[in-house]
Amino acid sequence: MPPLTSFSTYLSELNHRHVASSASTNSELIEALQNGALDVATVHVLTAETQSAGRGQHGRSWQSPRGNVYLSLYHPVHMPISGLLSLIIGLELAKMPVIQTLNEQLQAQGLTPIGVKWANDLGFYPTQEAHLVPSDNAAANQRTLPFNKLAGILIEPVTKAGRLVGVVLGIGLNVQAAPKLTTQTSEGMSYQAISLQDINERLPLESRSASLPDLPMLYQQMSKALMAAMTRFEHLGIEQPTGHTYYLDSFLEQFAMMDALSGLRLRVTQDYNNEEKVITGIACGVDTHGCLQLRQDSGKISTLFTGRIDVIY
């Protein structure tokens, strides 16, 4: 790992701090902001080579072997956080040069590109065979396709004196190492971890990148993506009261092209008062609030704010 002084000027302008190890970059950054060690009015970035207690969605643990990116960016906000933010972040991360380059090669080989999976992940399903018509065979609806998870997004609000002052955007990106998932990390969900290196090695020799960007370069690419996401989110907030939808329409159009669930048959499991409710149907994008749209066999469109996703076939 190059010394901190060799990191780009861009990162230093974002008050970047790098540590060898952190319990959790999100937790460490939030604590420093809340106890006054960091100014809540400015952007801050914290990166670590490894985490001892990394966190994912819904209290799951995030395994943090060396060789990957563990980055948290704090950004002041002056508007409520909506479900669109994680999708905007996913879209901007998918535009990172390293992912764009890999996607060009994957598509040239007829392979599924890296996309954004509602609501907080980057990755892909390994085959398009899930684009199937509804089946009357109950057993068929139990077969699931594993999601190849490349990166996860964890968004957490920062409050002081009971007032929202900003948001911490935590990103874990598997670069050199894809951790083996455990019950604690996946909780039975049908996905497996994959790294940029794994994806690169799936390509024919002549199509592979000679070397992936080093971690400092990825920190820079990722920080730029997160700053672009926050700008885009702020534009949506400014636009909303006017009744115009230019920025929203532009986002929804771009997201549709990177939607990893689009057209796939899903089984969505939701928890209502400790009782499971299961809905099946075809994923048909997201609505203007960032909710998943699911077209059931009856033709009814269900709008889902949360739920466990399984692709079935």
Side-chain angles (χ1 to χ4, degrees):
M1 173 67 62
L4 195 59
T5 53
S6 71
F7 283 17
S8 73
T9 302
Y10 178 80
L11 282 170
S12 65
E13 291 172 350
L14 300 183
N15 301 303
H16 175 223
R17 184 168 68 94
H18 180 75
V19 296
S21 179
S22 172
S24 157
T25 56
N26 262 33
S27 296
E28 186 171 336
L29 196 51
I30 291 170
E31 182 180 356
L33 290 157
Q34 290 183 327
N35 67 22
L38 294 178
D39 181 7
V40 297
T42 59
V43 174
H44 299 278
V45 175
L46 176 64
T47 55
E49 293 175 40
T50 185
Q51 299 178 117
S52 58
R55 296 185 292 110
Q57 290 290 322
H58 308 298
R60 301 185 191 100
S61 64
W62 185 273
Q63 295 185 58
S64 307
R66 294 181 186 277
N68 297 340
V69 170
Y70 311 106
L71 180 149
S72 295
L73 182 146
Y74 167 79
H75 198 289
V77 295
H78 307 287
M79 63 187 72
I81 302 303
S82 76
L84 282 172
L85 181 55
S86 64
L87 302 180
I88 293 170
I89 291 170
L91 180 61
E92 294 298 334
L93 290 173
K95 295 180 184 177
M96 289 167 53
V98 62
I99 293 180
Q100 283 191 327
T101 299
L102 284 173
N103 273 350
E104 288 170 4
Q105 295 301 329
L106 287 167
Q107 289 172 314
Q109 300 299 320
L111 300 173
T112 307
I114 299 160
V116 185
K117 175 180 171 287
W118 183 87
N120 307 95
D121 299 322
L122 281 185
F124 59 90
Y125 287 91
T127 175
Q128 296 297 343
E129 290 176 1
H131 289 266
L132 299 178
V133 296
S135 172
D136 293 329
N137 185 343
N141 279 348
Q142 299 305 311
R143 296 198 296 266
T144 61
L145 284 175
F147 178 67
N148 286 342
K149 183 170 177 172
L150 176 65
I153 302 164
L154 179 62
I155 300 173
E156 297 187 289
V158 179
T159 58
K160 292 198 77 171
R163 182 176 65 90
L164 177 70
V165 293
V167 63
V168 168
L169 315 174
I171 313 295
L173 172 68
N174 299 325
V175 182
Q176 297 292 342
K180 300 276 187 195
L181 298 184
T182 66
T183 301
Q184 186 179 11
T185 53
S186 66
E187 294 188 354
M189 301 176 78
S190 55
Y191 66 81
Q192 57 197 27
I194 195 168
S195 69
L196 291 175
Q197 185 63 41
D198 292 332
I199 296 170
N200 192 42
E201 290 177 356
R202 289 187 174 191
L203 296 168
L205 281 172
E206 65 274 11
S207 300
R208 294 179 190 173
S209 298
S211 62
L212 294 170
D214 60 18
L215 293 186
M217 178 58 69
L218 289 172
Y219 295 156
Q220 178 172 315
Q221 290 187 19
M222 190 172 291
S223 295
K224 285 185 174 180
L226 292 176
M227 292 298 289
M230 288 306 301
T231 298
R232 192 165 202 165
F233 182 69
E234 289 171 343
H235 284 164
L236 292 181
I238 294 169
E239 176 183 72
Q240 188 176 19
T242 70
H244 296 105
T245 59
Y246 172 81
Y247 290 109
L248 179 60
D249 292 343
S250 174
F251 162 71
L252 292 173
E253 182 180 349
Q254 291 182 34
F255 180 81
M257 294 188 292
M258 297 297 298
D259 184 358
L261 292 175
S262 180
L264 299 181
R265 184 164 178 78
L266 310 182
R267 180 177 65 224
V268 183
T269 306
Q270 298 178 301
D271 187 2
Y272 285 102
N273 299 320
N274 295 321
E275 289 188 11
E276 285 192 349
K277 178 183 178 182
V278 178
I279 304 174
T280 60
I282 305 297
C284 50
V286 297
D287 69 5
T288 56
H289 301 288
C291 295
L292 178 66
Q293 302 279 81
L294 197 70
R295 187 176 67 252
Q296 298 182 59
D297 296 347
S298 64
K300 175 186 175 183
I301 301 292
S302 292
T303 299
L304 308 176
F305 177 72
T306 187
R308 193 187 81 197
I309 301 290
D310 290 300
V311 170
I312 56 178
Y313 67 105

